[in-house]
Amino acid sequence: MKFKSVVTGASVIAVSALALAGCGSSSSSSSSSSSKKSSSSSSSSQTTKVAKLTTGSKMKAGTYNLEEENYSHGYRTKISLTVNDSGKITKSTYDQVNKSGKSKSDDASYNKQMKKVAGTNPKTYMPKLNKTLTASASTGNVGSIDVVTGATESSKTFQNYTQQLVQAAQAGNTSTIKINNGAKMKDGTYTLNEKNYSHGYKVTFSITVKDNKITKSEYNQVNKNGKSKVDDASYNKQMKKIAKTNPKTYQPALNKSLVKNSDPTKVDVVTGATESSNTFIMYAEQLQNAAQNGDRKTITVDNMIFSE
């Protein structure tokens, strides 16, 4: 997702911090735009920059697995992450397999056709996504995972699933995560809250489902007093000048888009709030997965916050 770090003062430094905050959130997908640009622009001879974890629990050593239960167009996703004693991902095996266990990356006909249409294919984007998890995202920084051009939906699904695996690794829960993909969402209200504050705010998010449609979306960023970032007049004014949008604009827009589409992958990214939009999409997908299982237990995300 990319997903990724959600200010006060009249100084130039504060204004710069505001610009970063407007593009992100305090989710574990949080990371500085500067570090991502540095990483992406570095030459192959340079070491990949890994942002330092400052808030949130470190991942525990072990192997963590997630798999889809249902096949879509003949394939389903399986992911396994291995974390070492230092809390770093040392191995990632993300794959899409058919009923015979054969990888989509080995389907020559499919790869040839997708390459013509999208400019990429599973043989290219799956290794690329796996590599990210042992490089810039090795400490659990889901925000450093780039969406692969031509494979947007697969990239976003990968980000969502990786985020859920990171949460499992933080808790040391090695039980395989089962995703009831493609199943109808069960009626009810599903809630996700971040645990940690970034730049004074954390995400609270709930969706209401009725007849397999999302009828209500309440995504918000609140401070320790429960006050919404939407109501911070000074913040909204400054961000509007820099990013041409602000929480007062993009939060309602994201909520409206999710209700309209009932599908997180079809939510429009708000220009000027790309990182917040991507975090919204990632969390919305996790809530959708909960709704597919009918699991109404509040999801608490021990969101990782990384140094800028």
Side-chain angles (χ1 to χ4, degrees), residues 120-243:
T120 190
N121 53 29
K123 193 172 183 178
T124 302
Y125 71 72
M126 288 200 291
K128 184 177 290 187
L129 291 171
N130 277 318
K131 186 176 180 180
T132 304
L133 287 184
T134 57
S136 62
S138 63
T139 53
N141 186 7
V142 180
S144 67
I145 302 171
D146 287 312
V147 169
V148 178
T149 302
T152 301
E153 188 169 336
S154 290
S155 298
K156 288 185 180 297
T157 297
F158 178 81
Q159 291 161 341
N160 166 33
Y161 291 167
T162 299
Q163 173 62 32
Q164 293 191 47
L165 283 167
V166 168
Q167 290 166 209
Q170 286 177 295
N173 184 358
T174 56
S175 299
T176 298
I177 299 170
K178 301 283 189 176
I179 303 294
N180 194 12
N181 56 305
K184 289 185 177 181
M185 294 181 288
K186 295 177 174 62
D187 291 356
T189 298
Y190 302 87
T191 302
L192 177 152
N193 295 320
E194 289 183 335
K195 177 181 177 181
N196 307 308
Y197 293 88
S198 177
H199 299 293
Y201 289 91
K202 68 175 183 177
V203 168
T204 63
F205 198 174
S206 69
I207 62 171
T208 300
V209 175
K210 178 69 175 177
D211 298 329
N212 197 37
K213 292 186 179 298
I214 297 173
T215 58
K216 189 176 184 180
S217 173
E218 295 181 294
Y219 163 78
N220 204 355
Q221 293 163 297
V222 299
N223 63 19
K224 292 181 180 179
N225 296 319
K227 183 178 178 181
S228 174
K229 191 182 282 189
V230 167
D231 299 321
D232 187 332
S234 176
Y235 182 99
N236 278 268
K237 183 179 180 180
Q238 283 184 285
M239 183 177 172
K240 185 73 171 179
K241 288 181 180 179
I242 297 168

Side-chain angles (χ1 to χ4, degrees), residues 45-294:
S45 63
Q46 292 176 312
T47 302
T48 300
K49 184 173 182 179
V50 179
K52 181 180 179 181
L53 176 66
T54 59
T55 306
S57 300
K58 186 175 71 172
M59 293 182 291
K60 295 177 173 62
T63 299
Y64 303 89
N65 298 288
L66 177 152
E67 61 181 46
E68 293 180 335
E69 297 184 280
N70 310 307
Y71 293 88
S72 175
H73 302 292
Y75 290 91
R76 68 186 178 107
T77 295
K78 298 178 72 175
I79 306 178
S80 177
L81 301 183
T82 301
V83 178
N84 66 13
D85 290 334
S86 299
K88 291 188 176 182
I89 298 169
T90 58
K91 186 178 181 181
S92 170
T93 55
Y94 159 62
D95 204 356
Q96 293 166 301
V97 298
N98 62 18
K99 292 181 180 180
S100 299
K102 185 178 179 181
S103 173
K104 188 183 283 188
S105 63
D106 296 325
D107 187 332
S109 177
Y110 182 95
N111 278 267
K112 182 178 180 180
Q113 184 61 27
M114 183 175 174
K115 184 72 172 180
K116 287 181 180 179
V117 176
T120 190
N121 53 29
K123 193 172 183 178
T124 302
Y125 71 72
M126 288 200 291
K128 184 177 290 187
L129 291 171
N130 277 318
K131 186 176 180 180
T132 304
L133 287 184
T134 57
S136 62
S138 63
T139 53
N141 186 7
V142 180
S144 67
I145 302 171
D146 287 312
V147 169
V148 178
T149 302
T152 301
E153 188 169 336
S154 290
S155 298
K156 288 185 180 297
T157 297
F158 178 81
Q159 291 161 341
N160 166 33
Y161 291 167
T162 299
Q163 173 62 32
Q164 293 191 47
L165 283 167
V166 168
Q167 290 166 209
Q170 286 177 295
N173 184 358
T174 56
S175 299
T176 298
I177 299 170
K178 301 283 189 176
I179 303 294
N180 194 12
N181 56 305
K184 289 185 177 181
M185 294 181 288
K186 295 177 174 62
D187 291 356
T189 298
Y190 302 87
T191 302
L192 177 152
N193 295 320
E194 289 183 335
K195 177 181 177 181
N196 307 308
Y197 293 88
S198 177
H199 299 293
Y201 289 91
K202 68 175 183 177
V203 168
T204 63
F205 198 174
S206 69
I207 62 171
T208 300
V209 175
K210 178 69 175 177
D211 298 329
N212 197 37
K213 292 186 179 298
I214 297 173
T215 58
K216 189 176 184 180
S217 173
E218 295 181 294
Y219 163 78
N220 204 355
Q221 293 163 297
V222 299
N223 63 19
K224 292 181 180 179
N225 296 319
K227 183 178 178 181
S228 174
K229 191 182 282 189
V230 167
D231 299 321
D232 187 332
S234 176
Y235 182 99
N236 278 268
K237 183 179 180 180
Q238 283 184 285
M239 183 177 172
K240 185 73 171 179
K241 288 181 180 179
I242 297 168
K244 309 303 179 186
T245 190
N246 53 29
K248 194 172 183 178
T249 301
Y250 71 71
Q251 285 189 192
L254 291 170
N255 283 318
K256 183 178 179 180
S257 184
L258 182 58
V259 171
K260 177 184 177 182
N261 295 289
S262 282
D263 181 351
T265 64
K266 294 181 180 178
V267 169
D268 297 320
V269 171
V270 179
T271 302
T274 302
E275 292 179 16
S276 286
S277 298
N278 286 327
T279 296
F280 174 91
I281 292 168
M282 181 176 66
Y283 284 161
E285 286 193 282
Q286 190 168 346
L287 286 168
Q288 179 188 50
N289 294 152
Q292 288 168 325
N293 285 323

